[in-house]
Amino acid sequence: VSGAVAAPTASLHFDAALLESLAAKGVEFAFVTLNVGAGTFLPVKTDDIAQHKMHAEWGEVSEQAAAAISACKARGGRVIAVGTTALRLIESAVVNGKIAAFRGETAIFIRPGYKFLVADGLMTNFHLPKSTLLMLVAALVGVDRQRAIYAHAIAAKYRFFSYGDSSLLFP
């Protein structure tokens, strides 16, 4: 779906062979769309992050994707978002505590203190300081763990940002 200003870079770690291998192991997939806007990459410039105004982006969770995610949760499976954009979108699609079909703009700002209702994990690249994406990671794993993970990534010379290395994160 056209409209994004950047590639869905977390998903670039997957090729057809890897997807087939995961499917053969029983991993199921649900695809969603979030048209990433330029605001995703802007640093937070306020001293109080509660004062940061999040940019809006258009996205869609289809009926089929919402049903697949709901079925996974109902049987005790884990929902692992591939990319912060996918995570932001599925958390935006919550109605009465459960994921539902969604089509429209979201300006959700996930930061420490946020209670995740859909995502159980996240596969994402390493993000830059002062970004809302780094704050989303801290919300998922905790600030202290986020700092330890990033200290390790820096010491090990992992590649950061859009086309860098990836991480698989759980609370």
Side-chain angles (χ1 to χ4, degrees):
V1 176
S2 64
V5 300
T9 55
S11 64
L12 295 178
H13 296 281
F14 294 85
D15 61 14
L18 179 57
L19 290 172
E20 289 172 14
S21 175
L22 290 169
K25 293 181 184 318
V27 174
E28 298 175 14
F29 306 94
F31 296 90
V32 299
T33 299
L34 182 67
N35 285 341
V36 177
T40 291
F41 305 105
L42 294 175
V44 173
K45 296 180 180 177
T46 61
D47 290 333
D48 177 2
I49 63 171
Q51 299 303 313
H52 176 72
K53 179 160 174 36
M54 193 68 175
H55 58 284
E57 297 171 313
W58 181 90
E60 180 177 17
V61 176
S62 69
E63 291 280 349
Q64 297 89 343
I69 293 167
S70 290
C72 175
K73 297 290 277 187
R75 68 176 175 271
R78 293 188 296 184
V79 174
I80 301 171
V82 177
T84 55
T85 54
L87 188 146
R88 286 183 61 230
L89 184 62
I90 62 175
E91 292 292 327
S92 296
V94 172
V95 176
N96 296 324
K98 297 186 181 206
I99 190 165
F102 175 90
R103 182 181 178 101
E105 287 196 340
T106 179
I108 190 171
F109 180 15
I110 299 175
R111 57 190 185 267
Y114 179 84
K115 180 176 174 14
F116 290 87
L117 298 172
V118 181
D120 299 302
L122 171 65
M123 183 176 167
T124 188
N125 296 355
F126 289 91
H127 304 290
L128 298 181
K130 298 184 181 181
S131 70
T132 60
L133 307 177
L134 188 61
M135 292 174 196
L136 183 153
V137 168
L140 182 70
V141 301
V143 173
D144 291 340
R145 278 190 65 221
Q146 176 265 316
R147 288 180 177 154
I149 290 165
Y150 273 69
H152 170 79
I154 291 166
K157 299 187 189 279
Y158 289 1
R159 293 170 297 165
F160 276 52
F161 210 40
S162 293
Y163 297 98
D165 291 309
S166 185
S167 59
L168 178 59
L169 305 169
F170 296 99

